[in-house]
Amino acid sequence: MAGSGSLCCASRGASALLATALLYAALGDVVRSEQQIPLSVVKLWASAFGGEIKSIAAKYSGSQLLQKKYKEYEKDVAIEEIDGLQLVKKLAKIMEEMFHKKSEAVRRLVEAAEEAHLKHEFDADLQYEYFNAVLINERDKDGNFLELGKEFILAPNDHFNNLPVNISLSDVQVPTNMYNKDPAIVNGVYWSESLNKVFVDNFDRDPSLIWQYFGSAKGFFRQYPGIKWEPDENGVIAFDCRNRKWYIQAATSPKDVVILVDVSGSMKGLRLTIAKQTVSSILDTLGDDDFFNIITYNEELHYVEPCLNGTLVQADRTNKEHFREHLDKLFAKGIGMLDIALNEAFNILSDFNHTGQGSICSQAIMLITDGAVDTYDTIFAKYNWPDRKVRIFTYLIGREAAFADNLKWMACANKGFFTQISTLADVQENVMEYLHVLSRPKVIDQEHDVVWTEAYIDSTLADDQGLVLMTTVAMPVFSKQNETRSKGILLGVVGTDVPVKELLKTIPKYKLGIHGYAFAITNNGYILTHPELRPLYEEGKKRRKPNYSSVDLSEVEWEDRDDVLRNAMVNRKTGKFSMEVKKTVDKGKRVLVMTNDYYYTDIKGTPFSLGVALSRGHGKYFFRGNVTIEEGLHDLEHPDVSLADEWSYCNTDLHPEHRHLSQLEAIKLYLKGKEPLLQCDKELIQEVLFDAVVSAPIEAYWTSLALNKSENSDKGVEVAFLGTRTGLSRINLFVGAEQLTNQDFLKAGDKENIFNADHFPLWYRRAAEQIPGSFVYSIPFSTGTVNKSNVVTASTSVQLLDERKSPVVAAVGIQMKLEFFQRKFWTASRQCASLDGKCSISCDDETVNCYLIDNNGFILVSEDYTQTGDFFGEVEGAVMNKLLTMGSFKRITLYDYQAMCRANKESSDCAHGLLDPYKAFLSAAKWIMTELVLFLVEFNLCSWWHSDMTAKAQKLKQTLEPCDTEYPAFVSERTIKETTGNIACEDCSKSFVIQQIPSSNLFMVVVDGSCLCESVAPITMAPIEIRYNESLKCERLKAQKIRRRPESCHGFHPEENARECGGASSLQAQAALLLLPLVSSLFSR
């Protein structure tokens, strides 16, 4: 027993020794692993590479020469701190004058139109050949001009983006679903011809005007200058001016609307489809100043959106689309109890009005039903009489007229309108009738309120970026004939478009600093202009985001969580607000953290407010230099000089003969006194001359480098460039233009890297935030999902003084081949300090991975070339995670409230086709068949027609939908120059060293490649959709941000003639006959 015990003890002792030995071995491995990457060697590599690459960048950019030249003028310049409040007030005054000029042009059109109509007597037999915008210059097979299609001279005009237009005449567009020779249209076209003189006169007075137009209440649209309209692939012109926001806003006052939809059993089939289309058309007529809700009824009430029980919501695009989606889910059953629905509607309108929300103006109930068994006068007597402040609009669905009298009585007794809708083709025209009723009080008051719309994209004038944002100023046109005064007849609306870029031209970008910008919002808080507004998605396809015109200021200035800035601007206050902001650059992949001071005020005479953001530090300072005109002109003549095309040095739009001039050409003519009519910014031009003189020596410097064949023999450096705070640029090529690796760099299409109306070039902005004297290096990101750039850009800023208060006066840089840059890195990484020349470690070792990353974590150099441009965290997740933990890098969470996310939606080809108003019009042809087979009316005609496609009709469709996303960006900590670390992985220990490259934004990272550490997931920058649960969705729907109501309201007038309240309408036999050929073609397919 004793022997066995001794053996047992010996065994345990041996085990302990073995365990200890293994532990020491493991520790030894760790120690060896750490010793494999000596910090001193990595520091040597970093120092060698940093010195080499800075020497190249400084030499070829000429940064030291430029800094020296500005220093020579240091005593002769005056530095000023920008007074943001005075600046924003001055800009608002300039914009006010510009907007007033536009509204005066519209006022002249109103006066001319009303005078022309007053002199005109309606002639039902009038025959008049007008220029139809669709038919002009069209010929028949015999070569003769079509009727209403006479010869109309069109010539390209640079002011209209070289579109063929006629600047002497307007022409007329008539919607496809209207008859070109309807007497009402012919008479309207005839008297409105007198507007041609005013159109031309307005354009002569203000050559910056774009489109001018008159939208008639009868449906036609007169546009100047005249242009040819092309139908879509279905032969349809989908445009109806009465559906446009500018028309509706000018014609009516803001309104609160409750839409009641009968979903009783008698509404099955085609009737319910027509009812849905009617609701959809009503929604089209509601704008951002309106509020609404939709309630369906049978034996019970059903809110289409149950979350919004008992309230109204703003009729913005998002809310209207949300309700449209719910329309698809409506079905008919049971008995209709209209009395319950009317009581609910009146109570909602009353309660909502008392909250102080909503329009606090017009109120209406829209009733969509196939019949009413009573007049419900007791309900109206209780809620609405005698004042009749809530108008009742009734829409009788179907052919039966048995209940027409009751519905018409309800509308007439409550200052509304009655109409009967038998077919889908009837819907749009009949829905429009209510707008004419709501316009009566305004017409009787003869109040020509000026209205301005939110920003929208004009497709006609699309530029090379596919984007021309406009706002429209519009005014209503009234009948002034005495016999029609009490009827309050609206003739139409006149308007003109104002490109948003016209606003940007009034903003002196040079006074806003490198990161500064101006922005404007509407009374609803929506962006009119802001550098962060992104209306399009899918680069290359240039598709519009559905809600691009209603992006709220809080969605781009999202750091202001309490909406302090937004609400102050909506309330038209004047003041200042400051906050720390996180501004993304370089396609959203990089972030600049800074403090912005915001200054804001209102633009009088408009619903807009203007804001200016100035970044603290160098962004708050401006300096004035002084040189003679002769000196400056001489140096402006250099061929390498260019100016920011989108900045306004001289106004070349005022006179047609100046429109062909570039800004540089205009300045030269202005300074030489050859164009006395040119209006130019004297202060800006003086600073341009100063920058031209100071920067001129760099041209000779670059030229001498280019001529020295021994320099740059491998042509690694391709381009040198500089930019100054006045938008002046100089560019020098060290290789032939055809040899450039990046052919797009600094060209007009390279918006990120040139001066434009919104921002300074990316290389300038990033250099300004780098320590003076150091260079910022980056690889340009491609627009695709895979970044495979072959160049590296390096830039540095030039400051006037050696202090933070000094303005950044310029930035210079170079672009070099990536292969050249990487070769310099690998050469430096092979150096070592040992006397025998044997290095303890090398980037060539298989167990070591070497990387060069920038201050945002993107890889510029890797042994695996395919990783170039990737985020370091995706390649070395464990190391990046450790760097974040240690504080060498920090994660910054960003939000995108203009994102587009992929979503699977159930779609029904049939249902959506019918809810599209113009597909609905084509579907009217199918109605002809219902005349022959009336029994089918009670069935779902849509399903009948598409019976062979039932399997395909319901399907999941992947679409891009507006959404909110959260995503990270990463920034290095400037104070940490070097770090070593060790990461405990599952079965190994991973060591690394990170060392800053001197005088740069770069870091060398050397990682132990023998330990893969696969248990740690990669860190990605992929955005994550923010998903809201049903409760939160409901809260967001209910949430009403502060908004400012339009100042005028015309909801009621005691002199109003309420007897004009509608009657039954139906398609005439003639119209049916016109559609028969279309039906035949449909059946022949």
Side-chain angles (χ1 to χ4, degrees):
M1 291 292 290
S4 65
S6 300
L7 185 61
C8 179
C9 288
S11 175
R12 282 199 296 269
S15 297
L17 285 170
L18 180 61
T20 303
L22 288 171
L23 177 60
Y24 276 110
L27 288 171
D29 283 345
V30 172
V31 172
R32 282 194 299 275
S33 176
E34 290 177 351
Q35 289 175 343
Q36 285 176 1
I37 310 175
L39 177 60
S40 59
V41 174
V42 178
K43 187 178 286 190
L44 173 68
W45 295 345
S47 177
F49 175 68
E52 171 79 356
I53 205 67
K54 184 186 177 182
S55 173
I56 292 169
K59 177 179 179 179
Y60 285 93
S61 68
S63 59
Q64 292 168 338
L65 172 64
L66 192 62
Q67 180 71 67
K68 179 185 172 187
K69 288 298 174 184
Y70 271 103
K71 278 285 184 184
E72 290 174 2
Y73 286 86
E74 185 178 319
K75 294 178 182 178
D76 300 324
V77 303
I79 295 180
E80 302 173 8
E81 185 169 358
I82 298 168
D83 186 332
L85 214 50
Q86 286 304 312
L87 177 61
V88 78
K89 287 178 181 177
K90 183 180 178 181
L91 291 179
K93 185 66 179 174
I94 293 170
M95 290 185 185
E96 177 192 335
E97 291 169 359
M98 188 197 77
F99 282 134
H100 178 72
K101 201 173 179 182
K102 309 298 182 189
S103 59
E104 283 303 300
V106 171
R107 197 176 300 279
R108 287 191 287 272
L109 288 171
V110 169
E111 292 168 358
E114 291 181 346
E115 184 66 22
H117 178 262
L118 184 62
K119 292 178 179 177
H120 177 74
E121 289 188 16
F122 184 85
D123 180 0
D125 299 318
L126 178 64
Q127 299 293 313
Y128 181 60
E129 282 283 316
Y130 60 91
F131 290 110
N132 184 294
V134 179
L135 301 175
I136 53 171
N137 300 330
E138 293 289 331
R139 298 175 185 266
D140 59 22
K141 60 184 179 181
D142 297 323
N144 301 314
F145 285 113
L146 296 178
E147 194 175 20
L148 302 182
K150 297 178 291 182
E151 183 179 11
F152 191 73
I153 297 171
L154 298 170
N157 188 296
D158 55 359
H159 186 59
F160 294 90
N161 206 28
N162 285 318
L163 285 171
V165 296
N166 186 319
I167 58 171
S168 301
L169 293 169
S170 61
D171 57 5
V172 175
Q173 176 263 342
V174 180
T176 303
N177 62 337
M178 301 188 73
Y179 180 42
N180 280 329
K181 290 197 166 186
D182 182 286
I185 287 178
V186 173
N187 275 266
V189 169
Y190 180 78
W191 66 255
S192 66
E193 279 284 339
S194 62
L195 293 180
N196 277 325
K197 289 182 181 178
V198 188
F199 286 144
V200 174
D201 180 55
N202 279 343
F203 193 43
D204 287 341
R205 292 184 190 212
D206 181 5
S208 67
L209 284 173
I210 306 292
W211 306 115
Q212 302 175 66
Y213 38 82
F214 168 61
S216 168
K218 301 300 180 184
F220 72 83
F221 179 69
R222 179 177 289 283
Q223 181 180 20
Y224 172 88
I227 188 171
K228 184 165 178 61
W229 288 53
E230 299 291 346
D232 64 17
E233 64 274 11
N234 296 315
V236 171
I237 298 288
F239 181 87
D240 187 323
C241 62
R242 298 165 301 173
N243 250 348
R244 314 308 284 185
K245 283 190 176 180
W246 53 266
Y247 185 99
I248 295 164
Q249 278 182 237
T252 65
S253 292
K255 48 199 170 290
D256 297 335
V257 177
V258 176
I259 304 172
L260 301 178
V261 185
D262 183 355
V263 290
S264 61
S266 60
M267 288 287 290
K268 282 181 181 176
L270 182 60
R271 288 182 182 176
L272 187 59
T273 301
I274 294 173
K276 290 177 183 179
Q277 178 58 37
T278 303
V279 174
S280 186
S281 291
I282 292 171
L283 292 181
D284 284 336
T285 66
L286 302 182
D288 297 320
D289 292 323
D290 303 323
F291 290 77
F292 77 104
N293 204 338
I294 305 174
I295 304 171
T296 63
Y297 69 92
N298 38 36
E299 297 97 333
E300 297 176 341
L301 293 177
H302 308 274
Y303 281 84
V304 167
E305 172 49 80
C307 160
L308 297 171
N309 192 318
T311 189
L312 302 181
V313 293
Q314 188 178 8
D316 60 34
R317 184 185 176 98
T318 302
N319 287 339
K320 290 192 291 186
E321 288 306 311
H322 179 79
F323 274 82
R324 276 197 175 96
E325 289 174 9
H326 284 282
L327 289 179
D328 281 348
K329 302 169 187 174
L330 298 186
F331 58 92
K333 67 172 184 178
I335 302 168
M337 303 293 285
L338 180 54
D339 54 338
I340 302 173
L342 286 171
N343 274 294
E344 182 73 3
F346 276 112
N347 283 325
I348 290 174
L349 290 172
S350 175
D351 294 345
F352 192 68
N353 194 47
H354 287 141
T355 66
Q357 297 177 314
S359 69
I360 316 295
C361 193
S362 299
Q363 292 190 313
I365 296 172
M366 311 286 199
L367 174 59
I368 301 166
T369 179
D370 63 348
V373 296
D374 193 4
T375 57
Y376 303 100
D377 49 320
T378 55
I379 295 175
F380 300 127
K382 177 181 177 181
Y383 292 104
N384 207 35
W385 294 345
D387 294 334
R388 298 183 290 176
K389 292 290 180 70
V390 179
R391 299 177 188 269
I392 308 295
F393 296 94
T394 53
Y395 300 91
L396 177 61
I397 306 298
R399 297 179 54 79
E400 289 78 6
F403 300 108
D405 290 343
N406 285 347
L407 289 172
K408 184 173 183 180
W409 184 91
M410 291 161 64
C412 295
N414 294 279
K415 288 194 171 183
F417 200 86
F418 163 79
T419 186
Q420 184 167 1
I421 303 177
S422 305
T423 73
L424 286 163
D426 291 344
V427 173
Q428 181 147 317
E429 199 63 28
N430 284 306
V431 164
M432 291 293 173
E433 293 291 348
Y434 96 87
L435 293 175
H436 303 150
V437 175
L438 288 184
S439 69
R440 284 177 190 162
K442 182 181 280 194
V443 180
I444 297 170
D445 282 335
Q446 293 289 296
E447 288 288 343
H448 294 90
D449 297 327
V450 179
V451 299
W452 294 86
T453 68
E454 76 281 11
Y456 64 92
I457 293 174
D458 186 317
S459 304
T460 318
L461 289 178
D463 59 14
D464 56 354
Q465 301 300 305
L467 173 64
V468 174
L469 279 171
M470 298 279 196
T471 178
T472 292
V473 54
M475 292 173 68
V477 180
F478 308 139
S479 170
K480 290 198 168 184
Q481 295 172 351
N482 288 332
E483 63 272 20
T484 65
R485 180 172 172 79
S486 65
K487 295 179 182 178
I489 293 178
L490 175 77
L491 299 177
V493 173
V494 292
T496 186
D497 295 338
V498 182
V500 170
K501 67 182 179 183
E502 288 295 312
L503 302 185
L504 298 177
K505 284 181 180 179
T506 67
I507 297 164
K509 188 73 184 78
Y510 69 104
K511 281 195 174 178
L512 302 184
I514 299 164
H515 304 298
Y517 54 91
F519 58 98
I521 64 171
T522 70
N523 59 302
N524 285 302
Y526 298 152
I527 292 170
L528 182 69
T529 178
H530 192 291
E532 297 299 319
L533 178 65
R534 305 193 315 273
L536 306 177
Y537 70 101
E538 289 194 355
E539 206 160 340
K541 294 185 179 177
K542 309 293 185 190
R543 292 179 175 166
R544 301 179 197 179
K545 294 177 182 175
N547 54 346
Y548 78 89
S549 62
S550 56
V551 176
D552 197 271
L553 181 65
S554 61
E555 294 176 316
V556 293
E557 302 287 354
W558 51 265
E559 295 93 342
D560 179 18
R561 295 295 184 186
D562 297 323
D563 288 344
V564 176
L565 173 65
R566 178 199 179 277
N567 293 346
M569 291 184 69
V570 166
N571 288 323
R572 302 179 73 78
K573 300 275 182 68
T574 297
K576 176 187 175 183
F577 174 71
S578 303
M579 67 177 173
E580 184 182 87
V581 295
K582 304 169 184 70
K583 292 298 178 185
T584 58
V585 295
D586 212 356
K587 300 179 174 64
K589 293 179 181 289
R590 306 183 189 277
V591 65
L592 301 175
V593 180
M594 60 190 75
T595 298
N596 274 358
D597 291 327
Y598 295 86
Y599 303 90
Y600 51 85
T601 192
D602 63 313
I603 304 174
K604 291 177 174 55
T606 76
F608 308 135
S609 287
L610 177 69
V612 165
L614 301 177
S615 61
R616 285 194 186 166
H618 56 73
K620 296 291 292 286
Y621 297 92
F622 172 74
F623 82 90
R624 300 177 190 276
N626 194 23
V627 294
T628 65
I629 290 177
E630 290 74 20
E631 283 181 289
L633 257 177
H634 174 267
D635 290 327
L636 276 181
E637 298 288 353
H638 289 195
D640 68 331
V641 171
S642 62
L643 293 177
D645 276 343
E646 293 185 15
W647 289 22
S648 189
Y649 303 85
C650 294
N651 191 338
T652 55
D653 285 331
L654 282 178
H655 301 283
E657 63 268 25
H658 296 152
R659 286 190 186 131
H660 69 281
L661 296 174
S662 69
Q663 287 294 320
L664 186 55
E665 290 168 339
I667 287 177
K668 291 175 184 176
L669 290 172
Y670 170 75
L671 292 174
K672 293 173 182 177
K674 293 184 177 179
E675 289 289 341
L677 293 177
L678 264 175
Q679 293 183 13
C680 299
D681 185 332
K682 293 180 183 178
E683 185 179 6
L684 174 55
I685 290 176
Q686 181 59 47
E687 299 313 311
V688 168
L689 295 177
F690 179 82
D691 286 352
V693 170
V694 177
S695 64
I698 208 166
E699 182 189 18
Y701 174 82
W702 283 338
T703 302
S704 66
L705 281 178
L707 292 175
N708 190 338
K709 300 296 182 183
S710 62
E711 301 283 356
N712 197 32
S713 57
D714 53 2
K715 297 182 179 179
V717 179
E718 297 188 331
V719 186
F721 52 87
L722 73 79
T724 75
R725 73 244 141 101
T726 58
L728 181 143
S729 298
R730 292 181 185 270
I731 301 169
N732 183 79
L733 303 185
F734 293 114
V735 298
E738 70 286 348
Q739 295 177 292
L740 286 172
T741 305
N742 183 354
Q743 291 284 336
D744 298 328
F745 186 56
L746 302 177
K747 300 285 178 58
D750 186 16
K751 290 291 185 182
E752 281 270 287
N753 286 305
I754 61 173
F755 290 94
N756 62 42
D758 280 332
H759 54 69
F760 276 56
L762 175 64
W763 45 265
Y764 200 132
R765 284 179 285 165
R766 294 194 65 209
E769 296 311 302
Q770 194 70 11
I771 296 169
S774 62
F775 279 81
V776 58
Y777 301 84
S778 64
I779 293 180
F781 290 106
S782 60
T783 53
T785 53
V786 180
N787 185 63
K788 287 293 164 276
S789 177
N790 293 316
V791 293
V792 174
T793 302
S795 59
T796 187
S797 63
V798 176
Q799 287 195 317
L800 195 61
L801 305 172
D802 298 324
E803 54 179 283
R804 185 60 183 162
K805 287 188 176 182
S806 170
V808 173
V809 296
V812 291
I814 61 170
Q815 190 166 91
M816 61 193 117
K817 292 178 182 175
L818 176 61
E819 177 268 331
F820 169 80
F821 179 80
Q822 290 179 337
R823 192 165 69 245
K824 297 294 181 185
F825 176 82
W826 295 123
T827 301
S829 69
R830 294 188 181 100
Q831 296 187 23
C832 62
S834 61
L835 295 175
D836 59 1
K838 294 181 180 178
C839 301
S840 60
I841 183 174
S842 167
C843 286
D844 294 329
D845 295 347
E846 290 187 5
T847 57
V848 172
N849 293 330
C850 295
Y851 304 92
L852 185 69
I853 66 173
D854 66 20
N855 59 316
N856 298 117
F858 293 102
I859 298 172
L860 282 82
V861 181
S862 169
E863 292 160 62
D864 182 351
Y865 184 79
T866 63
Q867 293 171 351
T868 306
D870 290 349
F871 177 58
F872 183 65
E874 294 175 352
V875 177
E876 295 279 2
V879 178
M880 191 68 202
N881 191 58
K882 189 71 172 178
L883 291 173
L884 289 168
T885 306
M886 298 168 70
S888 296
F889 275 78
K890 59 183 176 182
R891 180 198 303 262
I892 296 174
T893 301
L894 302 169
Y895 298 92
D896 184 359
Y897 296 104
Q898 300 176 73
M900 298 291 287
C901 300
R902 298 203 173 275
N904 290 318
K905 293 191 73 175
E906 192 178 86
S907 66
S908 168
D909 294 338
C910 182
H912 285 291
L914 291 175
L915 283 178
D916 182 305
Y918 295 98
K919 288 182 181 176
F921 168 71
L922 291 176
S923 299
K926 299 170 188 178
W927 168 81
I928 301 297
M929 295 310 303
T930 65
E931 297 292 294
L932 305 174
V933 282
L934 288 175
F935 69 91
L936 286 172
V937 171
E938 296 306 315
F939 297 96
N940 190 328
L941 194 60
C942 178
S943 299
W944 167 74
W945 189 264
H946 291 274
S947 57
D948 61 327
M949 298 173 67
T950 305
K952 299 179 185 176
Q954 294 290 339
K955 58 188 177 185
L956 280 177
K957 184 181 179 184
Q958 193 172 75
T959 59
L960 282 169
E961 301 269 312
C963 63
D964 300 339
T965 60
E966 175 185 307
Y967 64 100
F970 300 87
V971 180
S972 64
E973 177 52 60
R974 278 185 176 176
T975 58
I976 300 177
K977 306 294 183 185
E978 58 192 41
T979 303
T980 61
N982 198 56
I983 306 161
C985 304
E986 285 183 341
D987 53 359
C988 60
S989 183
K990 189 180 188 76
S991 61
F992 67 89
V993 172
I994 180 168
Q995 174 69 50
Q996 187 177 40
I997 306 293
S999 301
S1000 79
N1001 67 320
L1002 302 176
F1003 295 86
M1004 180 178 282
V1005 188
V1006 183
V1007 180
D1008 175 9
S1010 61
C1011 179
L1012 297 178
C1013 215
E1014 293 176 330
S1015 59
V1016 181
I1019 296 174
T1020 73
M1021 297 180 68
I1024 300 169
E1025 183 179 356
I1026 302 171
R1027 297 191 177 273
Y1028 303 100
N1029 59 34
E1030 289 305 315
S1031 173
L1032 201 50
K1033 278 183 185 175
C1034 182
E1035 289 303 313
R1036 284 166 61 83
L1037 277 171
K1038 286 181 177 178
Q1040 304 234 356
K1041 285 186 176 289
I1042 289 176
R1043 51 181 294 279
R1044 188 178 178 87
R1045 296 183 192 89
E1047 293 178 0
S1048 67
C1049 169
H1050 307 278
F1052 174 80
H1053 199 288
E1055 296 177 22
E1056 185 180 339
N1057 180 0
R1059 292 188 298 276
E1060 297 285 331
C1061 52
S1065 67
S1066 61
L1067 277 179
Q1068 300 298 317
Q1070 182 183 7
L1073 289 170
L1074 287 171
L1075 285 171
L1076 276 175
L1078 180 56
V1079 175
S1080 301
S1081 66
L1082 286 169
F1083 271 102
S1084 65
R1085 292 179 183 174

